[in-house]
């Protein structure tokens, strides 16, 4: 994903890989460097000193030379795998499941040895919700085994309610299939802040991440 190389089909990966369109993608580069360049001293992909940040940005600039495009639309990304010759990308389980169901391309997925970034969806209730009783009913419904299992099965995610892992929808092994045992290797998204404990409180803030990633992805 990050460096030009020859793939098992004997062809270069240049122009055949995609990367995520978004500021937080810089954390993926930092995670790669954390494992492959330990001398940089990165301890958390969201807490980067200026030198660590600069190294991650430079890695993204190099990757820009091999990236076909940056994706943000899941349907467009699936079309790129089906019709545009893309062979590798950071992605979500939903795209993997949908591409497999489509049957037009053979798709595999993995959590890299370096680990991966990830995210969790949360349903929240507005403090001044006009119909709080209905809102509470929805929240309670969303936490039922059948709702949790159905969502996890459809998207390829891990449910928040562990009991739903035994629901027939997930078939008893669905949570493991979706990666419940890999949480220790997932670095969940969070907003980078200047005050950071792993680097003595001297990290690059989020606004600088935004500017740098926009510059890289726009080809500047």
């Amino acid at each position: 994903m990050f460096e030009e190389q020859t793939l098992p089909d004997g062809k270069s990966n240049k122009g055949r890989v995609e990367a995520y369109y978004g500021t937080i993608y810089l954390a993926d580069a930092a995670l790669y460097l954390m494992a492959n360049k330990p001398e940089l001293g990165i301890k958390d992909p969201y807490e980067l000193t200026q030198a660590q940040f600069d190294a991650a940005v430079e890695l993204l600039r190099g990757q820009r030379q091999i990236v076909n495009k940056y994706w943000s639309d899941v349907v467009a990304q699936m079309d790129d795998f089906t019709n545009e010759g893309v062979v590798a990308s950071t992605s979500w389980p939903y795209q993997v499941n949908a591409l497999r169901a489509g049957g037009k391309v053979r798709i595999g997925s993995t959590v890299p040895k370096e680990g991966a970034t990830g995210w969790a969806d949360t349903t929240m209730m507005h403090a001044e919700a006009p119909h709080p009783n209905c809102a509470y009913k929805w929240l309670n419904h969303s936490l039922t085994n059948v709702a949790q299992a159905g969502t996890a099965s459809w998207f390829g995610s891990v449910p928040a309610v562990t009991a739903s892992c035994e629901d027939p929808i997930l078939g008893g092994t669905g949570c493991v299939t979706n990666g419940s045992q890999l949480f220790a290797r997932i670095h969940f998204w969070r907003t980078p802040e200047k005050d950071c404990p792993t680097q003595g409180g001297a990290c690059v803030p989020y606004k600088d991440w935004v500017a740098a990633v926009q510059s890289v992805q726009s080809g500047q």
Side-chain angles (χ1 to χ4, degrees):
M1 284 299 305
F2 285 104
E3 299 175 358
E4 186 173 2
Q5 58 190 275
T6 301
L7 298 179
D9 62 3
K11 301 177 183 178
S12 171
N13 64 340
K14 187 173 183 179
R16 304 168 70 202
V17 297
E18 287 188 348
Y20 183 60
Y21 180 83
T23 298
I24 206 67
Y25 183 63
L26 194 145
D28 288 72
L31 189 58
Y32 178 84
L33 293 174
M34 189 165 72
N36 293 284
K37 289 193 175 182
E39 65 272 17
L40 288 171
I42 299 174
K43 299 180 176 64
D44 185 310
Y46 306 101
E47 299 184 5
L48 305 177
T49 64
Q50 189 65 55
Q52 295 165 348
F53 176 81
D54 291 344
V57 172
E58 189 61 27
L59 180 62
L60 291 184
R61 290 196 187 281
Q63 185 195 44
R64 182 70 179 84
Q65 307 308 309
I66 66 172
V67 165
N68 174 290
K69 70 165 65 172
Y70 295 95
W71 73 271
S72 60
D73 182 287
V74 297
V75 175
Q77 188 190 40
M78 289 188 291
D79 183 68
D80 291 339
F81 270 89
T82 305
N83 300 310
E84 301 299 328
V86 171
V87 298
S89 177
T90 52
S91 192
W92 299 339
Y94 172 79
Q95 289 96 299
V96 175
N97 288 349
L99 284 168
R100 285 174 175 168
K104 293 183 179 180
V105 293
R106 295 177 61 191
I107 290 292
S109 65
T110 186
V111 173
K113 63 181 181 181
E114 295 90 352
T117 61
W119 47 271
D121 278 332
T122 303
T123 301
M124 296 178 286
M125 176 179 167
H126 195 286
E128 298 178 1
H131 304 290
N133 288 339
C134 290
Y136 277 119
K137 285 185 177 182
W138 163 252
L139 290 172
N140 286 334
H141 168 73
S142 73
L143 293 173
T144 60
N145 286 356
V146 66
Q148 289 272 313
T151 301
S153 176
W154 169 73
F155 194 85
S157 58
V158 176
V161 178
T162 55
S164 63
C165 289
E166 305 303 319
D167 191 279
I169 296 175
L170 284 169
T173 60
C175 285
V176 173
T177 299
N178 291 354
S180 59
Q181 76 283 11
L182 301 176
F183 268 30
R185 298 172 61 190
I186 306 299
H187 297 259
F188 284 91
W189 287 357
R190 57 189 176 86
T191 303
E193 300 180 64
K194 185 175 182 180
D195 185 14
C196 56
T198 67
Q199 301 294 340
C203 287
V204 177
Y206 183 69
K207 65 180 181 63
D208 293 346
W209 284 49
V210 173
V213 173
Q214 286 180 345
S215 175
V216 170
Q217 295 188 345
S218 64
Q220 297 178 5

